[in-house]
Amino acid sequence: MALKVGVIGTGMIGQDHIRRLTKVLSGVDVVGVADIERARAEAAAPEGATVFDTPQDLIASDTVEAIVICSWGPAHEEQLLGCIAAGKPVFCEKPLVTSEAAALKVMEAEVAYGHRLVQVGFMRRFDADYRRLKAVIDGGTLGAPLMYKSIHRNASVPAGLYTSDMPLNDTLVHDADVSRWLLDDEVVGVEVRVPRRSSRGGELRDPHIVLLHCGSGAIVTVEISVNISYGYDIRGEVACEQGVAALPNRPATVVSDRFGIRQEIPEDWRERFIEAYDQEFREWIVAAGQGTATGPSTWDGYAATLVADAALRAVESGAFEQIAMIAKPALYETA
Ligand code: NAD
Ligand code: ISE
């Protein structure tokens, strides 16, 4: 029996996820959609799917067994709490929520429910290259990881809609999550440096250099550039005690012609992580079909939110900003 899914938020990534849920993956049916812009939901709805008036109506519907949230970050809290209250598994695009208080509320609700219902859209954990990199580090042959260099470049971001806080609370969350996962460590403090501003973004503060200090003493440096024009360029290199392991550049095909030797650059995240998104949903469909969730959890969303908050403080203060986490609830110990 196919899992009956409702999608909230039918913008860029909502439409891409509807495409993969209807055209790429099996064992799943998109039976409903909702968006505050009803016309957008109507245009995105697959044949036969119901267009609900509100996200709350979608969550409450008996025809919807599991939910995919692709609305804007500030809307996630209310929608996640609604899914947990209804006892329905939910895939929520990053960021989990946009404040520490909201993350704690969602975590409290899930812990009170008694088992995991929430999977956060940190798709890098499902990318084959990142998984290989983690396997090398976990294998231990290179010794302990000491430094991780994460490069996160976007060709462009929507002018006016993407504001100066977003490199730190919308984009950095991916690097924060994947660093914690790769190094099996928590971030305990953050520093931010702001180099010369790129003229391409007008008043937008861009680029950023972020230092994530981990509990073990390992340090992650993150370069975030969101208007670099040439493409979506994601790189990563872990320096360990006895060697270095790095992600390959994607796509890996090398073209040689009379202009030289080169690799293409993906246009955006949809292209670079297409297979990672497919895989995160394959694993979600199986877990949600069993009434639960897998992969990045509410705890991981909370941790990334704390990093974003600390980074926003650090960009103002210019100083090291410490992070204090609550004790990890037992529910997330095996996650
Ligand atoms: P978008 O602006 O294209 O689409 C968001 C949609 O949500 C819009 O159609 C909007 O009308 C709708 N919406 C907003 N508030 C709503 C509400 N309260 N109820 C119902 N619908 C609501 O944005 P996007 O690029 O599709 O991003 C959506 C989410 O996905 C964001 O949280 C973003 O950070 C995340 N995202 C993740 C990735 C990734 O790589 N994992 C990539 C892009 C976006
Ligand atoms: C976007 O929302 C994403 O999540 C992309 O993966 C990220 O690279 C981009 O910077 C964000 O704006």
Side-chain angles (χ1 to χ4, degrees), residues 64-75:
V64 172
E65 296 170 331
I67 291 105
V68 173
I69 298 178
C70 299
S71 54
W72 295 320

Side-chain angles (χ1 to χ4, degrees), residues 27 46 90 97 109 113 155 166 192 211 253 280 326:
V90 51
V97 288
Y113 183 76
M166 291 178 75
V192 178
L211 258 64
T253 306
E280 75 177 343
I326 61 165

Side-chain angles (χ1 to χ4, degrees), residues 27-146:
V28 62
D29 264 346
V30 176
V31 297
V33 293
D35 195 293
I36 42 167
E37 299 281 346
R38 190 181 169 91
R40 199 172 297 148
E42 281 169 359
E47 211 184 314
T50 306
V51 177
F52 288 91
D53 288 336
T54 67
Q56 290 72 27
D57 292 344
L58 179 149
I59 294 166
S61 168
D62 288 340
T63 59
V64 172
E65 296 170 331
I67 291 105
V68 173
I69 298 178
C70 299
S71 54
W72 295 320
H76 293 179
E77 175 186 357
E78 187 190 344
Q79 294 166 0
L80 282 164
L81 290 172
C83 294
I84 295 170
K88 296 188 181 178
V90 51
F91 174 93
C92 181
E93 260 310 338
K94 48 61 62 176
L96 174 74
V97 288
T98 48
S99 73
E100 177 176 1
L104 289 172
K105 249 199 232 170
V106 173
M107 197 163 10
E108 226 170 77
E110 196 179 35
V111 168
Y113 183 76
H115 70 249
R116 278 193 60 190
L117 286 174
V118 179
Q119 178 174 328
V120 186
F122 289 130
M123 74 295 184
R124 293 184 181 193
R125 293 187 185 208
F126 299 85
D127 178 78
D129 296 330
Y130 276 98
R131 285 184 163 182
R132 272 183 222 110
L133 184 59
K134 180 162 175 60
V136 171
I137 298 162
D138 289 352
T141 51
L142 301 184
L146 309 175

Side-chain angles (χ1 to χ4, degrees), residues 7-312:
V7 178
I8 300 174
T10 52
M12 258 170 106
I13 204 157
Q15 290 170 29
D16 199 40
H17 288 339
I18 290 172
R19 177 195 59 75
R20 64 174 37 84
L21 293 171
T22 53
K23 298 204 163 71
V24 181
L25 303 175
S26 54
V28 62
D29 264 346
V30 176
V31 297
V33 293
D35 195 293
I36 42 167
E37 299 281 346
R38 190 181 169 91
R40 199 172 297 148
E42 281 169 359
E47 211 184 314
T50 306
V51 177
F52 288 91
D53 288 336
T54 67
Q56 290 72 27
D57 292 344
L58 179 149
I59 294 166
S61 168
D62 288 340
T63 59
V64 172
E65 296 170 331
I67 291 105
V68 173
I69 298 178
C70 299
S71 54
W72 295 320
H76 293 179
E77 175 186 357
E78 187 190 344
Q79 294 166 0
L80 282 164
L81 290 172
C83 294
I84 295 170
K88 296 188 181 178
V90 51
F91 174 93
C92 181
E93 260 310 338
K94 48 61 62 176
L96 174 74
V97 288
T98 48
S99 73
E100 177 176 1
L104 289 172
K105 249 199 232 170
V106 173
M107 197 163 10
E108 226 170 77
E110 196 179 35
V111 168
Y113 183 76
H115 70 249
R116 278 193 60 190
L117 286 174
V118 179
Q119 178 174 328
V120 186
F122 289 130
M123 74 295 184
R124 293 184 181 193
R125 293 187 185 208
F126 299 85
D127 178 78
D129 296 330
Y130 276 98
R131 285 184 163 182
R132 272 183 222 110
L133 184 59
K134 180 162 175 60
V136 171
I137 298 162
D138 289 352
T141 51
L142 301 184
L146 309 175
M147 293 177 282
Y148 174 46
K149 191 192 297 173
S150 189
I151 292 183
H152 191 157
R153 298 181 182 139
N154 282 254
S156 64
V157 285
L161 290 176
Y162 187 97
T163 48
S164 282
D165 53 337
M166 291 178 75
L168 301 176
N169 66 12
D170 189 73
T171 296
L172 173 68
V173 292
H174 282 296
D175 306 273
D177 180 69
V178 91
S179 303
R180 295 176 55 251
W181 175 74
L182 276 175
L183 305 182
D184 195 16
D185 217 336
E186 286 298 356
V187 180
V188 297
V190 179
E191 290 176 74
V192 178
R193 296 287 176 269
V194 181
R196 178 179 177 178
R197 189 189 298 261
S198 163
S199 62
R200 287 180 36 81
E203 288 307 300
L204 185 71
R205 198 176 52 230
D206 171 58
H208 291 79
I209 300 280
V210 182
L211 258 64
L212 306 179
H213 295 261
C214 297
S216 67
I219 293 182
V220 178
T221 56
V222 188
E223 175 202 313
I224 300 178
S225 299
V226 296
N227 249 316
I228 204 155
S229 105
Y230 74 89
Y232 185 71
D233 195 1
I234 301 297
R235 303 183 191 203
E237 183 180 282
V238 186
C240 303
E241 290 168 315
Q242 297 164 57
V244 172
L247 296 172
N249 293 336
R250 290 287 172 198
T253 306
V254 177
V255 177
S256 306
D257 61 14
R258 66 194 179 89
F259 300 110
I261 300 174
R262 64 188 184 280
Q263 279 172 265
E264 282 172 21
I265 304 278
E267 226 172 88
D268 65 17
W269 31 270
R270 283 172 296 199
E271 186 182 342
R272 166 63 182 85
F273 287 112
I274 188 166
E275 282 156 18
Y277 295 120
D278 290 350
Q279 187 59 24
E280 75 177 343
F281 274 102
R282 264 186 216 108
E283 296 185 27
W284 178 70
I285 290 162
V286 172
Q290 296 164 353
T292 186
T294 186
S297 66
T298 302
W299 175 260
D300 299 311
Y302 160 71
T305 304
L306 293 188
V307 171
D309 286 354
L312 288 170

